[in-house]
Amino acid sequence: MRFIVFILNILEIIGNIGAFLFIPIIFKFIFHRKEWHLYYRSIFSSVIVACTIHTLSSVVIYTIIFHVNKIPVLGENFELTHVYSLARYFLKGSCGTVRICLWILVIERTVATVKKKNYELHHNYIVAVILFIIPFAYGYNMDNIGHFWPFYRNNYVKFCIAFDCLTLLVLIILWLLNRKLHQLHHVKVLTLSEKFQISENIRLAKLSLPVTILFILDNYTFNIIFSISMLTPEEDEFLTLLNYGSLAYCYAGFFIFVLYQYKEKISLQFPIGRNKVVNLSNNDVSSKNNDNSQKHDKTQVIKMKNANNKLVPMDYDQKSYFNVYANSW
């Protein structure tokens, strides 16, 4: 058992570190996605922040497990108890945050589909901030919600499964519906705004599907195991951490998918020296100084003709130019 725990800890740490390495790239990627709607970017950013918290908390937890050489159970005293409990709190909250982000993403895309005629005109930064905060407010207050709402606490697993399945179903319907609208745009007269919104709905729904499917399948599998098994506290904690850790591979796969979908928009130029760049598209190495000198060497001649098809002199000095400009009025 200890050997299995050791191997799984190694795999979990590798997965979380791998996912964490993608996060700066994804943040930069989101920053440059100006074509995304403000609300979608806000919710998507919440997902990435939650993934960041998830990976860092997981690394702390698995490092402590290596240190104490056992699976700690919440409530018992051991070395680094407070650090473990705090990391466990952030880890659990990050998963709840990602779940509510997926729900809100589907709602946002549903509204975008319904209001496709003028949805791009809705840009309220206060709403964007609220959409960013709401997932964290839910994710890190699940225990408080369960305390005040016993039905939620007693049926949390069923509640999550039902809403996750509904989320996936609605997202697939939105994707298919917008694809259908896109195919019919030659028959039905659509405005430019509608065409743009339909294209964005297809792209963003397709972008949201992988993380939704992976997240739901991962949690659904472990929820079934929890519901049919009689586990000791240590086994329950082990499976819970395994569930959280496996999500890191889901996130890493999602990051790779996102970058692959937008590979044509990712810059292929990287600096290799003070004044040189490499263009990966044609393996050409050029000097910025040479480019600038070539630009200055090129002269552009502007020719204008009057109504009699005669060239209009363009070599005026400044005073003559203003005289001509004044007389033209």
Side-chain angles (χ1 to χ4, degrees):
M1 181 65 180
R2 289 184 180 275
F3 178 74
I4 295 176
V5 172
F6 175 80
I7 296 299
L8 290 176
N9 280 342
I10 293 292
L11 294 175
E12 300 293 3
I13 290 177
I14 293 174
N16 281 281
I17 292 176
F20 180 77
L21 293 177
F22 278 103
I23 288 174
I25 302 173
I26 294 294
F27 269 122
K28 183 178 180 181
F29 169 80
I30 295 174
F31 178 78
H32 290 289
R33 295 281 66 79
K34 305 298 183 182
E35 71 274 14
W36 286 6
H37 195 277
L38 175 64
Y39 300 159
Y40 186 90
R41 291 176 67 190
S42 177
I43 304 168
F44 199 91
S45 298
S46 296
V47 174
I48 306 306
V49 172
C51 292
T52 305
I53 297 173
H54 181 104
T55 54
L56 293 177
S57 301
S58 296
V59 170
V60 172
I61 286 175
Y62 295 121
T63 303
I64 293 175
I65 291 175
F66 268 122
H67 181 72
V68 300
N69 198 26
K70 69 172 185 176
I71 302 293
V73 178
L74 292 177
E76 68 177 15
N77 293 322
F78 57 93
E79 189 178 359
L80 301 174
T81 301
H82 298 295
V83 177
Y84 183 87
S85 300
L86 184 62
R88 186 73 163 70
Y89 168 77
F90 280 110
L91 180 59
K92 180 181 179 180
S94 67
C95 295
T97 300
V98 172
R99 172 174 275 112
I100 197 67
C101 280
L102 297 178
W103 298 350
I104 297 176
L105 277 176
V106 170
I107 295 173
E108 189 269 343
R109 283 298 94 192
T110 303
V111 175
T113 301
V114 174
K115 294 182 174 292
K116 58 182 179 294
K117 290 185 178 181
N118 59 355
Y119 185 68
E120 73 276 5
L121 301 178
H122 295 78
H123 284 78
N124 190 311
Y125 286 97
I126 296 178
V127 175
V129 172
I130 293 174
L131 291 175
F132 180 85
I133 294 175
I134 284 178
F136 295 97
Y138 167 81
Y140 289 96
N141 285 282
M142 291 187 295
D143 292 337
N144 295 330
I145 295 173
H147 177 73
F148 289 103
W149 189 13
F151 178 81
Y152 170 85
R153 181 181 65 248
N154 297 332
N155 298 277
Y156 174 75
V157 174
K158 297 178 182 178
F159 175 78
C160 290
I161 291 175
F163 270 84
D164 288 346
C165 293
L166 181 62
T167 298
L168 181 59
L169 179 63
V170 173
L171 190 58
I172 293 174
I173 292 174
L174 287 175
W175 181 51
L176 295 176
L177 176 62
N178 282 280
R179 283 179 60 88
K180 186 68 173 179
L181 291 173
H182 185 268
Q183 293 171 357
L184 295 176
H185 78 277
H186 295 294
V187 179
K188 183 180 178 181
V189 178
L190 299 174
T191 64
L192 186 62
S193 296
E194 288 178 304
K195 292 179 180 179
F196 169 78
Q197 197 57 58
I198 289 172
S199 298
E200 280 300 292
N201 287 342
I202 295 172
R203 182 185 287 269
L204 297 181
K206 183 179 179 181
L207 197 68
S208 304
L209 272 173
V211 66
T212 305
I213 294 173
L214 292 173
F215 186 87
I216 290 175
L217 287 178
D218 187 277
N219 284 284
Y220 192 78
T221 301
F222 281 93
N223 286 334
I224 292 176
I225 296 174
F226 284 124
S227 61
I228 64 175
S229 303
M230 298 296 294
L231 304 172
T232 63
E234 186 177 11
E235 291 172 342
D236 184 87
E237 182 69 10
F238 173 72
L239 280 178
T240 301
L241 293 178
L242 187 62
N243 181 14
Y244 292 152
S246 60
L247 287 174
Y249 288 92
C250 297
Y251 298 152
F254 169 61
F255 296 156
I256 294 172
F257 177 80
V258 170
L259 296 176
Y260 176 77
Q261 288 296 312
Y262 283 84
K263 61 182 182 299
E264 72 279 1
K265 293 189 177 183
I266 298 176
S267 176
L268 296 178
Q269 290 190 339
F270 300 92
I272 62 171
R274 185 174 181 180
N275 292 317
K276 294 183 179 180
V277 294
V278 175
N279 191 330
L280 299 182
S281 59
N282 55 10
N283 295 323
D284 180 38
V285 180
S286 59
S287 172
K288 292 182 180 179
N289 290 336
N290 292 338
D291 290 342
N292 292 333
S293 62
Q294 290 176 3
K295 290 179 181 178
H296 290 301
D297 291 340
K298 295 180 180 179
T299 57
Q300 296 181 350
V301 179
I302 301 176
K303 296 181 180 181
M304 297 180 63
K305 294 183 179 181
N306 58 18
N308 297 324
N309 201 28
K310 294 183 179 180
L311 290 175
V312 178
M314 302 297 294
D315 55 344
Y316 295 113
D317 57 19
Q318 187 176 22
K319 183 177 180 180
S320 300
Y321 171 78
F322 282 116
N323 288 334
V324 172
Y325 182 77
N327 292 331
S328 66
W329 285 87

